[in-house]
Amino acid sequence: MKAKDIMTTEVITVLEDETIENVTELLIKNKISGVPVINEDNEVVGIVTETDLIFKDKDVHIPSYVPLLGGFILLESVKKFEKQLKKVAAYKVKDVMSTPVIKVYEEDEVRKVVNMMLDRRINRVPVIDKEGKLKGIIARSDILKHL
Protein backbone atom coordinates (compact mmCIF):
# COMPACT_ATOMS: atom_id res chain seq x y z
CA MET A 1 0.00 0.00 0.00
CA LYS A 2 1.23 3.50 -0.87
CA ALA A 3 1.00 6.79 1.00
CA LYS A 4 -1.47 8.10 -1.58
CA ASP A 5 -3.83 5.24 -0.70
CA ILE A 6 -4.32 6.32 2.92
CA MET A 7 -3.63 10.07 2.91
CA THR A 8 -6.28 12.71 3.55
CA THR A 9 -6.45 14.80 0.39
CA GLU A 10 -8.46 17.75 1.73
CA VAL A 11 -5.68 19.33 3.74
CA ILE A 12 -6.18 22.38 5.91
CA THR A 13 -3.12 24.58 5.42
CA VAL A 14 -1.87 28.01 6.42
CA LEU A 15 0.53 30.50 4.87
CA GLU A 16 3.71 31.59 6.68
CA ASP A 17 2.41 35.13 7.22
CA GLU A 18 -0.79 33.98 8.94
CA THR A 19 -1.18 35.23 12.49
CA ILE A 20 -0.81 32.84 15.39
CA GLU A 21 -4.24 33.88 16.65
CA ASN A 22 -5.89 32.79 13.39
CA VAL A 23 -4.05 29.47 13.33
CA THR A 24 -5.04 28.75 16.92
CA GLU A 25 -8.70 29.39 16.05
CA LEU A 26 -8.34 27.17 12.95
CA LEU A 27 -6.97 24.25 14.97
CA ILE A 28 -9.71 24.55 17.59
CA LYS A 29 -12.52 24.97 15.05
CA ASN A 30 -11.42 21.94 13.02
CA LYS A 31 -10.43 19.82 16.04
CA ILE A 32 -6.96 19.16 14.68
CA SER A 33 -3.56 19.41 16.34
CA GLY A 34 -1.40 20.68 13.49
CA VAL A 35 -1.32 21.97 9.93
CA PRO A 36 1.24 22.23 7.15
CA VAL A 37 2.55 25.69 6.34
CA ILE A 38 2.75 26.33 2.60
CA ASN A 39 4.10 29.03 0.32
CA GLU A 40 2.39 30.59 -2.70
CA ASP A 41 3.53 27.64 -4.87
CA ASN A 42 1.79 25.08 -2.62
CA GLU A 43 5.15 23.80 -1.35
CA VAL A 44 5.41 22.74 2.29
CA VAL A 45 7.79 25.09 4.12
CA GLY A 46 6.94 24.21 7.70
CA ILE A 47 4.43 22.66 10.04
CA VAL A 48 2.74 24.30 13.00
CA THR A 49 1.31 22.26 15.85
CA GLU A 50 -0.35 22.78 19.19
CA THR A 51 3.07 22.28 20.78
CA ASP A 52 4.53 25.13 18.72
CA LEU A 53 1.69 27.41 19.81
CA ILE A 54 1.84 26.39 23.47
CA PHE A 55 5.57 27.18 23.43
CA LYS A 56 4.59 30.87 23.49
CA ASP A 57 3.60 30.45 27.15
CA LYS A 58 6.88 28.79 28.11
CA ASP A 59 9.36 30.52 30.38
CA VAL A 60 12.49 31.48 28.48
CA HIS A 61 15.66 30.11 30.05
CA ILE A 62 18.38 32.76 30.15
CA PRO A 63 21.78 31.15 29.45
CA SER A 64 24.09 30.63 32.42
CA TYR A 65 27.29 32.64 32.49
CA VAL A 66 30.51 33.09 34.44
CA PRO A 67 31.96 36.55 35.13
CA LEU A 68 35.62 36.71 34.07
CA LEU A 69 37.92 39.74 33.89
CA GLY A 70 35.07 42.23 33.82
CA GLY A 71 33.20 40.33 31.09
CA PHE A 72 30.97 37.29 30.84
CA ILE A 73 31.51 33.84 29.38
CA LEU A 74 28.28 32.15 28.38
CA LEU A 75 28.02 28.49 29.35
CA GLU A 76 25.15 27.76 27.00
CA SER A 77 24.20 28.48 23.44
CA VAL A 78 23.10 32.03 22.69
CA LYS A 79 21.49 30.77 19.47
CA LYS A 80 19.17 28.48 21.46
CA PHE A 81 18.20 31.41 23.69
CA GLU A 82 17.54 33.64 20.66
CA LYS A 83 15.40 30.94 19.05
CA GLN A 84 13.34 30.51 22.23
CA LEU A 85 12.92 34.26 22.62
CA LYS A 86 11.79 34.61 19.02
CA LYS A 87 9.15 31.89 19.49
CA VAL A 88 7.84 33.41 22.72
CA ALA A 89 7.52 36.84 21.09
CA ALA A 90 6.09 35.44 17.84
CA TYR A 91 3.12 36.93 16.04
CA LYS A 92 3.33 35.12 12.70
CA VAL A 93 3.32 31.42 11.87
CA LYS A 94 6.77 31.65 10.27
CA ASP A 95 8.21 32.51 13.70
CA VAL A 96 6.87 29.40 15.47
CA MET A 97 6.58 26.74 12.76
CA SER A 98 8.82 23.70 12.86
CA THR A 99 11.36 23.33 10.07
CA PRO A 100 12.67 21.45 8.23
CA VAL A 101 9.51 19.44 7.59
CA ILE A 102 9.62 15.68 7.40
CA LYS A 103 7.69 14.83 4.22
CA VAL A 104 6.89 11.69 2.25
CA TYR A 105 6.11 11.11 -1.40
CA GLU A 106 2.79 9.80 -2.74
CA GLU A 107 4.49 6.61 -3.92
CA ASP A 108 6.25 5.82 -0.62
CA GLU A 109 5.19 2.59 1.03
CA VAL A 110 2.98 2.96 4.10
CA ARG A 111 5.45 0.83 6.06
CA LYS A 112 8.12 3.48 5.43
CA VAL A 113 5.74 6.23 6.56
CA VAL A 114 4.84 4.37 9.75
CA ASN A 115 8.49 3.73 10.61
CA MET A 116 9.37 7.37 9.98
CA MET A 117 6.54 8.65 12.15
CA LEU A 118 7.43 6.30 15.01
CA ASP A 119 11.20 6.88 14.78
CA ARG A 120 10.81 10.67 14.67
CA ARG A 121 7.90 10.75 17.14
CA ILE A 122 5.68 12.81 14.86
CA ASN A 123 1.90 12.69 14.60
CA ARG A 124 1.42 13.79 11.01
CA VAL A 125 3.41 13.93 7.81
CA PRO A 126 2.66 15.93 4.65
CA VAL A 127 2.54 13.98 1.39
CA ILE A 128 4.09 15.63 -1.67
CA ASP A 129 4.40 14.84 -5.36
CA LYS A 130 7.63 14.67 -7.36
CA GLU A 131 7.51 18.45 -7.91
CA GLY A 132 7.34 19.07 -4.16
CA LYS A 133 3.70 20.20 -4.15
CA LEU A 134 1.41 19.26 -1.26
CA LYS A 135 -0.97 16.44 -2.21
CA GLY A 136 -2.22 15.26 1.17
CA ILE A 137 -1.40 14.50 4.76
CA ILE A 138 -1.14 11.32 6.79
CA ALA A 139 -1.97 11.43 10.48
CA ARG A 140 -1.69 8.53 12.90
CA SER A 141 -5.46 8.18 12.71
CA ASP A 142 -5.23 7.61 8.93
CA ILE A 143 -2.88 4.70 9.56
CA LEU A 144 -5.16 3.22 12.22
CA LYS A 145 -8.12 3.34 9.81
CA HIS A 146 -6.24 1.12 7.37
CA LEU A 147 -4.91 -1.53 9.75
Side-chain angles (χ1 to χ4, degrees), residues 11-26:
V11 184
I12 298 170
T13 61
V14 295
L15 296 170
E16 343 178 48
D17 286 328
E18 189 67 57
T19 66
I20 289 173
E21 181 181 352
N22 289 345
V23 173
T24 303
E25 290 174 11
L26 181 73

Side-chain angles (χ1 to χ4, degrees), residues 51-86:
T51 303
D52 296 318
L53 298 173
I54 290 170
F55 191 93
K56 284 186 59 56
D57 287 331
K58 182 180 185 235
D59 291 332
V60 176
H61 173 72
I62 298 172
S64 300
Y65 62 90
V66 175
L68 182 66
L69 302 173
F72 298 101
I73 297 177
L74 292 174
L75 301 176
E76 299 172 51
S77 170
V78 174
K79 293 250 186 239
K80 182 178 177 183
F81 171 68
E82 287 173 350
K83 190 174 181 179
Q84 286 180 347
L85 193 57
K86 185 176 179 182

Side-chain angles (χ1 to χ4, degrees), residues 44 47 98 100-104 116-117 120 122 124-127:
V44 181
I47 198 154
S98 298
V101 182
I102 299 165
K103 304 172 259 198
V104 297
M116 183 182 301
M117 290 174 76
R120 307 265 181 127
I122 55 176
R124 73 205 51 76
V125 61
V127 181

Side-chain angles (χ1 to χ4, degrees), residues 22-39:
N22 289 345
V23 173
T24 303
E25 290 174 11
L26 181 73
L27 294 180
I28 293 168
K29 177 183 165 197
N30 290 285
K31 298 181 180 165
I32 55 178
S33 59
V35 292
V37 181
I38 59 169
N39 63 18

Side-chain angles (χ1 to χ4, degrees), residues 113-129:
V113 177
V114 169
N115 288 333
M116 183 182 301
M117 290 174 76
L118 291 173
D119 291 345
R120 307 265 181 127
R121 294 187 174 116
I122 55 176
N123 297 325
R124 73 205 51 76
V125 61
V127 181
I128 59 173
D129 62 16

